[in-house]
Amino acid sequence: KKISKKSSKIRQGKLRLQKWYVPLSDKERKKISRDLVQTILARKPKMCSFLEWRDLKIVYKRYASLYFCCAVEDQDNELITLEIIHRYVELLDKYFGSVCELDIIFNFEKAYFILDEFLLGGEAQETSKKNVLKAIEQADLLQEEAEAPRSVLEEIGLT
Amino acid sequence: MLIVCWSPVMVEVWNGPGDKKTVEGPSRMPAPIRLRELIRTIRTARTQAEEREMIQKECAAIRSSFREEDNTYRCRNVAKLLYMHMLGYPAHFGQLECLKLIASQKFTDKRIGYLGAMLLLDERQDVHLLMTNCIKNDLNHSTQYVQGLALCTLGCMGSSEMCRDLAGEVEKLLKTSNSYLRKKAALCAVHVIRKVPELMEMFLPATKNLLSEKNHGVLHTSVVLLTEMCERSPDMLAHFRKLVPQLVRILKNLIMSGYSPEHDVSGISDPFLQVRILRLLRILGKGDDDSSEAMNDILAQVATNTETSKNVGNAILYETVLTIMDIKSESGLRVLAINILGRFLLNNDKNIRYVALTSLLKTVQTDHNAVQRHRSTIVDCLKDLDVSIKRRAMELSFALVNGNNIRGMMKELLYFLDSCDPEFKADCASGVFLAAEKYAPSKRWHIDTIMRVLTTAGSYVRDDSVPNLIQLITNSVEMHAYTVQRLYKALLDDISQQPLVQVASWCIGEYGDLLVSGQCEEEEPIQVTEDEVLDVLEGLLVSNLSTPVTRGYALTAIMKLSTRFTSVNRIKKVVSIYGSSIDVELQQRAVEYNALFKKYDHMRPALLERMPIMEKTASNGPTEIVQTNGEAEPSVVEAKHPPPVTQPTNQANDLLDLLGGNDVVPVIQTTVPTKPASAGGELLDLLGDLSLSGGPAPAPATSVPSSQPAFLLDGLTSPPLFNDIAAAGIPPMTAYNKNGLKIDFTFERANPNPNIAVITIHASNSTEADMTDFVFQAAVPKTFQLQLLSPSSNVVPTLNQGTVTQVIRVLNPQKQQLRMRIKLTYTHKGSAVQDLAEVNNFPPQSWQ
């Protein structure tokens, strides 16, 4: 069970994405995020990817300027969590084509959509990379179709 | 079409709220700026203030747009709001707008709306309940992607009420043949069950053929659902045990099947699914022989065949090991598992080493011997750079210490203690003490180990270590000279580490005589003079590094040396100086010690004599007692509450000696007390000394110090810090009842000193003749002091017509159980009667 959240942050400690799977107030979330970010940014490169924080296990991995971190429960397998993180990064990479941080900044909602096709309630819902991307693709198409007629109409002045 | 291009893919696909293709509508308002535009603008802000200004401006615009109920741009506005929320700005005014988006028919709207709901809405606010109906509709939507959105949102943040309302819909979708929806429904069901456990039953029928699915997504989520149900209900667990063969088969297929591009990760087929299946097997096999047996082979297969070069393979091995250890596996399999962990320990990847240590820590109790085999590797991990690894290695090392490896292990652990980070030192020190206590091969080794800890990590040692160490040292009688010598030398080097200083002071106070006499057997005795020792102790008193507690130790140590050293004058001087110390604790001690020198000098040797061997108690120990008791004899009080075992028999002997061996001196008014020449010890003094306040009694013989009554009446100099013993409430008792003579005791506490019990005897006579020349005498054990005041009369009238009363004051500084021997003499019906009796039935409150 991957409870709590998954978030990615940059070196300066700015959050680019956070997903919460437990009910917490905005204030609590902010505090936790802040604490966690500080803790992780304080880690040295040689340290391992796991740490204990409060009563949770934190699994984090750095990709270029972004840190991806997950808070999991005691009985969860940390090593497979690393694979989950990696899978998500792969999905972003495939979708955006060599993803970089700017992609995630300017398309944050897409990053969320992809995450929500990969995980649900903190667990992986689809283990095939291909299937996740296919679903996003289809949904994007659906969106485009929904938009297209309107813009055509508007274009010819019929609102 | 706008070419805002940092990703060609994006331009093709994405056509949402950031699309420039919006036309100024019929309204006079300019179109709200696009999302991407906003993001770019905000990023140009150079200061926090600038950013805030931009945000506020945009929020104002968005607010007014919301007020106008503008459907066209609602989606774009909410998207912008979500971005600003992510930066940390408040966005609650967008909550209702999210709901409107969800209710919209446009897919774009729904997508952003549901995202907004997940980010902004919080199940604790009632607003979220408005979603319920929308979600219900969307769960039945014709488009599976809309259904997917609804399932996702419900499964991430659905409250209990929502879950209750919508569980039926979820259950329906769990049975659909559409695998896209089925997998989502399964995880949504997990969430529903977590929120409303009573609903678990309703999902049971739908689970029937979940595992027959070919689709990996459905399989994975189904296993998660089954796991959740089994963890929550023992009945479910029993019910699902029958799935073990099927799970084993699926796992086997995954391992044996060839390359499957769709699910391959570094040569392993669907590791996520494998791990989940292993976890479910663990739960099903735990405590169940049959299930465990059924999975034995596959576990062995996975354990031996999984590729270990990459993290993904090790993730599977890790899960396998956890499963093997938890179920009822054959010993061969268990050894296999431990060996895998052992190999993990040697892995270059620190993450792998970390999980190995964690797992070994879990199994060290049950598979102790197997883990022992990897001891040296574990000990090597103490030198690892990673803090988490070091910590686990330390915990594991302590768990592995036993009588056989104590010397070697301790060497490593002490080396670790020297070099580790401060955050470890306290725990490590405690661990070393514990291990040493359990497995020390010799007393000398034990003392040396303690010394090593105190000198290298002395400031990190826990507070309760000090009394424990003191007790240990006291009880190692033959090591006293060696110990005090080593501690003294340590003090010469460094007086900053308080626990070390405290233990050292205490030892020097106790064994200073051994120190100066150069009696050490274990090592070369050092030459040190009394003055040098006193220099060191006085140095502690004045040093800035010493805490008040340490100073207290130092002063008491100096005082104790007054009976062990010859330079008493110097000690007297020190003690009198501190009588005016600003530190209240120190001042009090000094004043009381002063009093010892001046008025009670005869008691000093006894009070300050060597501590007896202490019984082990689990409680906090002497330091607490020292703090709470404002006695004049803190060194005596330092002894633990349960008296040494040898004492009771001594007490009995005392009593016998008292009354049997010596003449009993009658009470005051009658005669001048005569002192038997064989007087020894204070007790005879006590019995002899009956010249008291009131009464025409002459002063007693010279051998009795006349200061005694004053001593008892003075009480001790200062009120005790804990004055919690109430005078009232001590029940009276009958001390003696024979031949018509009854003697009752009633109790009071002397104020201010609760260590003095004031007993009033009431003698009554139920016979028909008076008892005349009635004399009551009492004796108490050595550790007490007793004072008899004058009786009311010496005739006990007949037939209970009156009582003779007399007051006894008993000083009981050591709070020992009160016992008394009494002797009664009187004349009754012409004959002289004499009787001895022992009084043991004192109520506990009278002496505690």
Side-chain angles (χ1 to χ4, degrees):
Chain A
K1 299 171 240 243
K2 260 158 289 292
I3 303 279
S4 290
K5 64 190 184 84
K6 177 179 206 154
S7 60
S8 51
K9 21 193 193 314
I10 62 159
R11 190 174 294 147
Q12 278 89 35
K14 281 220 178 98
L15 277 171
R16 296 299 177 205
L17 184 148
Q18 49 177 320
K19 188 82 186 179
W20 295 85
Y21 295 112
V22 285
L24 287 168
S25 73
D26 229 19
K27 204 162 94 172
E28 288 167 323
R29 288 180 186 184
K30 275 208 180 115
K31 182 166 194 320
I32 292 176
S33 300
R34 213 176 30 236
D35 285 348
L36 201 47
V37 167
Q38 275 176 4
T39 309
I40 292 184
L41 291 181
R43 302 275 290 178
K44 303 192 202 79
K46 283 246 184 313
M47 292 180 155
C48 72
S49 299
F50 315 127
L51 61 109
E52 289 99 30
W53 187 78
R54 304 199 183 173
D55 59 341
L56 295 167
K57 298 198 283 198
I58 306 292
V59 180
Y60 73 97
K61 193 149 178 208
R62 185 169 168 185
Y63 291 83
S65 61
L66 283 176
Y67 286 84
F68 288 77
C69 107
C70 276
V72 298
E73 287 179 321
D74 207 41
Q75 63 265 46
D76 288 323
N77 182 328
E78 297 97 320
L79 298 179
I80 207 73
T81 309
L82 279 174
E83 294 299 319
I84 296 267
I85 292 177
H86 190 72
R87 172 56 62 89
Y88 179 56
V89 174
E90 281 181 323
L91 287 167
L92 290 173
D93 193 63
K94 209 66 206 283
Y95 183 80
F96 288 110
S98 299
V99 66
C100 67
E101 193 186 339
L102 278 177
D103 291 325
I104 299 183
I105 295 171
F106 280 90
N107 301 281
F108 71 93
E109 78 279 12
K110 306 300 279 183
Y112 275 109
F113 295 154
I114 295 172
L115 185 60
D116 286 340
E117 279 294 31
F118 176 41
L119 303 179
L120 202 160
E123 300 283 353
Q125 61 181 279
E126 180 56 67
T127 57
S128 152
K129 223 183 329 186
K130 186 180 90 183
N131 287 349
V132 174
L133 291 169
K134 199 163 72 181
I136 292 286
E137 210 176 302
Q138 300 282 53
D140 286 346
L141 268 171
L142 197 61
Q143 194 166 324
E144 206 181 301
E145 283 166 23
E147 295 294 322
R150 198 193 95 213
S151 46
V152 165
L153 284 172
E154 276 168 10
E155 198 154 15
I156 55 178
L158 294 169
T159 317
Chain B
M1 190 69 97
L2 174 76
I3 316 287
V4 177
C5 205
W6 41 85
S7 166
V9 174
M10 204 201 72
V11 169
E12 276 165 30
V13 169
W14 180 229
N15 230 332
D19 183 14
K20 195 205 183 190
K21 245 221 154 321
T22 49
V23 167
E24 321 267 339
S27 65
R28 305 107 308 171
M29 286 271 300
I33 71 169
R34 299 161 300 140
L35 171 62
R36 312 269 178 269
E37 186 74 43
L38 178 67
I39 296 176
R40 214 178 313 120
T41 311
I42 291 176
R43 281 172 62 82
T44 61
R46 275 159 301 164
T47 65
Q48 186 74 12
E50 217 182 310
E51 183 184 275
R52 215 176 309 135
E53 216 183 291
M54 292 176 182
I55 302 268
Q56 274 170 2
K57 189 157 149 250
E58 186 56 36
C59 277
I62 292 178
R63 267 199 171 96
S64 43
S65 188
F66 284 161
R67 265 191 300 255
E68 299 197 352
E69 297 284 340
D70 186 327
N71 291 338
T72 325
Y73 298 116
R74 181 177 289 121
C75 184
R76 179 188 294 186
N77 285 329
V78 168
K80 286 187 286 185
L81 203 53
L82 292 179
Y83 178 74
M84 295 188 288
H85 178 253
M86 207 162 62
L87 293 179
Y89 296 91
H92 44 272
F93 59 92
Q95 287 172 359
L96 276 172
E97 301 301 313
C98 292
L99 296 174
K100 292 179 195 165
L101 284 175
I102 291 173
S104 155
Q105 286 313 303
K106 278 173 64 176
F107 184 66
T108 317
D109 285 353
K110 283 188 189 287
R111 240 184 165 185
I112 295 291
Y114 276 117
L115 178 62
M118 285 192 274
L119 291 177
L120 299 181
L121 287 180
D122 163 8
E123 71 163 47
R124 265 114 31 111
Q125 294 153 5
D126 288 334
V127 173
H128 82 282
L129 287 171
L130 297 171
M131 270 199 299
T132 315
N133 221 39
C134 281
I135 295 186
K136 186 167 191 170
N137 292 335
D138 283 344
L139 284 174
N140 291 299
H141 203 274
S142 49
T143 310
Q144 69 175 16
Y145 297 105
V146 173
Q147 289 172 294
L149 286 175
L151 280 168
C152 181
T153 307
L154 181 60
C156 288
M157 57 154 311
S159 64
S160 332
E161 298 96 322
M162 281 171 75
C163 288
R164 247 183 255 274
D165 287 340
L166 301 169
E169 303 296 327
V170 176
E171 197 261 344
K172 233 168 41 190
L173 288 171
L174 191 52
K175 297 193 285 222
T176 177
S177 52
N178 179 335
S179 47
Y180 177 78
L181 292 174
R182 206 171 184 203
K183 71 187 187 197
K184 290 180 192 272
L187 289 181
C188 198
V190 170
H191 180 83
V192 168
I193 291 173
R194 285 190 191 146
K195 283 297 197 188
V196 193
E198 309 90 75
L199 292 175
M200 184 161 52
E201 291 284 327
M202 74 181 281
F203 293 106
L204 188 52
T207 62
K208 213 175 268 229
N209 50 5
L210 276 176
L211 290 184
S212 338
E213 268 273 2
K214 290 282 177 256
N215 179 294
H216 280 223
V218 177
L219 273 177
H220 185 272
T221 59
S222 302
V223 173
V224 174
L225 175 58
L226 292 169
T227 307
E228 184 72 26
M229 292 169 94
C230 290
E231 279 176 338
R232 283 187 179 267
S233 155
D235 290 335
M236 291 286 182
L237 178 56
H239 171 81
F240 284 126
R241 277 220 175 91
K242 62 177 192 267
L243 293 176
V244 170
Q246 206 173 356
L247 289 164
V248 168
R249 239 187 347 263
I250 298 173
L251 189 53
K252 195 162 191 166
N253 284 337
L254 285 171
I255 303 169
M256 304 297 271
S257 68
Y259 174 75
S260 149
E262 196 174 335
H263 300 292
D264 181 87
V265 180
S266 304
I268 295 179
S269 191
D270 207 338
F272 305 107
L273 182 57
Q274 288 195 36
V275 164
R276 273 334 288 233
I277 291 179
L278 285 163
R279 186 157 151 188
L280 181 54
L281 285 175
R282 175 154 83 245
I283 296 167
L284 293 173
K286 189 167 185 168
D288 188 85
D289 288 322
D290 292 331
S291 301
S292 299
E293 202 184 313
M295 52 180 88
N296 231 308
D297 286 345
I298 191 64
L299 290 173
Q301 210 177 347
V302 175
T304 39
N305 289 347
T306 306
E307 181 67 46
T308 61
S309 55
K310 292 255 174 83
N311 179 64
V312 64
N314 289 321
I316 294 175
L317 279 178
Y318 177 38
E319 196 74 34
T320 311
V321 166
L322 291 177
T323 301
I324 293 175
M325 301 316 290
D326 243 15
I327 65 170
K328 298 190 152 215
S329 39
E330 300 168 355
S331 62
L333 200 54
R334 293 183 89 83
V335 170
L336 181 59
I338 304 257
N339 288 345
I340 290 177
L341 292 178
R343 276 205 309 277
F344 273 8
L345 281 179
L346 300 167
N347 197 305
N348 284 329
D349 186 340
K350 46 193 157 359
N351 293 332
I352 309 285
R353 293 204 296 276
Y354 175 92
V355 302
L357 287 170
T358 313
S359 313
L360 285 169
L361 202 50
K362 286 191 202 140
T363 67
V364 70
Q365 302 304 333
T366 44
D367 295 88
H368 192 91
N369 291 334
V371 180
Q372 279 282 4
R373 265 179 242 131
H374 300 281
R375 196 176 64 243
S376 52
T377 323
I378 292 168
V379 165
D380 279 341
C381 289
L382 286 171
K383 306 189 182 89
D384 202 293
L385 292 164
D386 184 292
V387 149
S388 308
I389 290 182
K390 273 203 276 232
R391 176 165 285 282
R392 272 166 178 65
M394 181 182 84
E395 287 171 20
L396 202 45
S397 298
F398 279 122
L400 289 175
V401 169
N402 62 26
N404 293 330
N405 57 36
I406 178 77
R407 284 188 193 266
M409 286 297 275
M410 201 49 86
K411 217 161 48 171
E412 297 285 348
L413 288 164
L414 285 172
Y415 180 74
F416 175 68
L417 182 63
D418 277 343
S419 53
C420 68
D421 296 327
E423 64 186 284
F424 288 113
K425 293 218 190 222
D427 288 331
C428 190
S430 297
V432 167
F433 286 149
L434 237 96
E437 208 172 299
K438 274 202 268 196
Y439 302 113
S442 74
K443 284 235 156 88
R444 158 109 191 230
W445 181 95
H446 198 168
I447 304 275
D448 281 343
T449 304
I450 290 173
M451 288 293 309
R452 177 85 182 268
V453 175
L454 286 178
T455 48
T456 55
S459 11
Y460 298 97
V461 152
R462 294 217 167 84
D463 289 339
D464 62 352
S465 308
V466 173
N468 288 340
L469 291 175
I470 286 178
Q471 180 181 53
L472 177 70
I473 292 170
T474 309
N475 293 351
S476 316
V477 176
E478 66 277 16
M479 302 299 303
H480 285 169
Y482 173 71
T483 310
V484 69
Q485 179 161 296
R486 288 213 56 192
L487 284 168
Y488 179 76
K489 285 199 277 195
L491 272 192
L492 292 177
D493 276 336
D494 172 21
I495 60 167
S496 65
Q497 304 192 83
Q498 300 303 294
L500 170 64
V501 174
Q502 287 168 13
V503 174
S505 308
W506 189 91
C507 281
I508 294 174
E510 283 290 308
Y511 314 121
D513 49 327
L514 298 176
L515 187 58
V516 297
S517 69
Q519 271 180 34
C520 186
E521 277 172 8
E522 299 280 342
E523 62 174 20
E524 187 67 36
I526 57 173
Q527 309 297 329
V528 60
T529 64
E530 291 184 1
D531 276 321
E532 284 170 332
V533 175
L534 288 171
D535 284 340
V536 170
L537 287 176
E538 284 187 48
L540 293 176
L541 280 173
V542 301
S543 165
N544 286 337
L545 297 166
S546 299
T547 64
V549 170
T550 306
R551 291 204 177 89
Y553 271 91
L555 188 60
T556 304
I558 291 176
M559 188 60 193
K560 285 189 203 172
L561 290 175
S562 71
T563 56
R564 292 157 176 75
F565 282 4
T566 55
S567 31
V568 181
N569 285 331
R570 176 172 175 181
I571 295 176
K572 272 195 198 168
K573 219 161 43 159
V574 174
V575 167
S576 71
I577 290 173
Y578 279 89
S580 41
S581 160
I582 306 175
D583 181 332
V584 173
E585 174 72 28
L586 223 49
Q587 185 195 113
Q588 179 177 326
R589 287 179 191 228
V591 166
E592 289 169 1
Y593 294 157
N594 249 332
L596 263 187
F597 274 124
K598 298 206 162 46
K599 289 200 263 184
Y600 311 117
D601 204 46
H602 60 288
M603 299 183 71
R604 195 167 42 88
L607 284 171
L608 301 176
E609 78 184 3
R610 272 262 212 285
M611 287 293 220
I613 296 188
M614 304 181 202
E615 253 179 44
K616 266 211 173 292
T617 61
S619 63
N620 276 331
T623 42
E624 197 178 285
I625 302 173
V626 169
Q627 256 43 318
T628 61
N629 210 319
E631 293 285 337
E633 309 92 344
S635 55
V636 172
V637 177
E638 272 170 33
K640 303 255 171 89
H641 284 320
V645 180
T646 51
Q647 199 122 340
T649 46
N650 291 343
Q651 285 178 1
N653 291 336
D654 292 340
L655 289 165
L656 278 169
D657 285 343
L658 275 183
L659 294 176
N662 303 292
D663 290 344
V664 175
V665 181
V667 186
I668 22 154
Q669 287 137 327
T670 46
T671 57
V672 173
T674 57
K675 286 285 270 108
S678 57
E682 305 92 333
L683 279 154
L684 288 174
D685 293 341
L686 286 174
L687 279 183
D689 169 45
L690 298 162
S691 81
L692 301 159
S693 39
T702 51
S703 52
V704 177
S706 57
S707 58
Q708 267 188 321
F711 167 56
L712 284 177
L713 286 171
D714 283 347
L716 296 164
T717 46
S718 61
L721 298 172
F722 278 59
N723 221 336
D724 52 357
I725 305 169
I730 306 175
M733 58 178 266
T734 301
Y736 177 92
N737 193 350
K738 222 158 98 174
N739 301 327
L741 175 63
K742 184 153 93 100
I743 300 189
D744 290 330
F745 283 7
T746 58
F747 300 90
E748 262 173 59
R749 279 272 170 220
N751 230 339
N753 193 328
N755 290 313
I756 296 181
V758 179
I759 308 174
T760 306
I761 70 154
H762 306 261
S764 56
N765 170 9
S766 59
T767 67
E768 329 87 62
D770 286 346
M771 295 168 177
T772 56
D773 302 314
F774 177 77
V775 174
F776 172 92
Q777 286 156 94
V780 286
K782 228 190 327 195
T783 50
F784 298 82
Q785 289 195 6
L786 182 138
Q787 179 184 26
L788 269 176
L789 305 184
S790 6
S792 56
S793 94
N794 55 0
V795 175
V796 192
T798 177
L799 296 172
N800 297 321
Q801 284 166 11
T803 59
V804 169
T805 58
Q806 188 165 11
V807 173
I808 313 173
R809 293 167 67 104
V810 181
L811 172 67
N812 181 8
Q814 288 188 30
K815 303 257 191 254
Q816 293 193 2
Q817 186 175 359
L818 186 52
R819 296 166 66 152
M820 201 183 268
R821 258 241 172 140
I822 59 177
K823 182 166 177 178
L824 307 156
T825 54
Y826 55 94
T827 311
H828 187 242
K829 293 184 183 161
S831 29
V833 182
Q834 181 176 297
D835 199 3
L836 287 170
E838 216 169 314
V839 185
N840 288 331
N841 54 331
F842 285 93
Q845 302 98 303
S846 65
W847 47 269
Q848 274 177 344

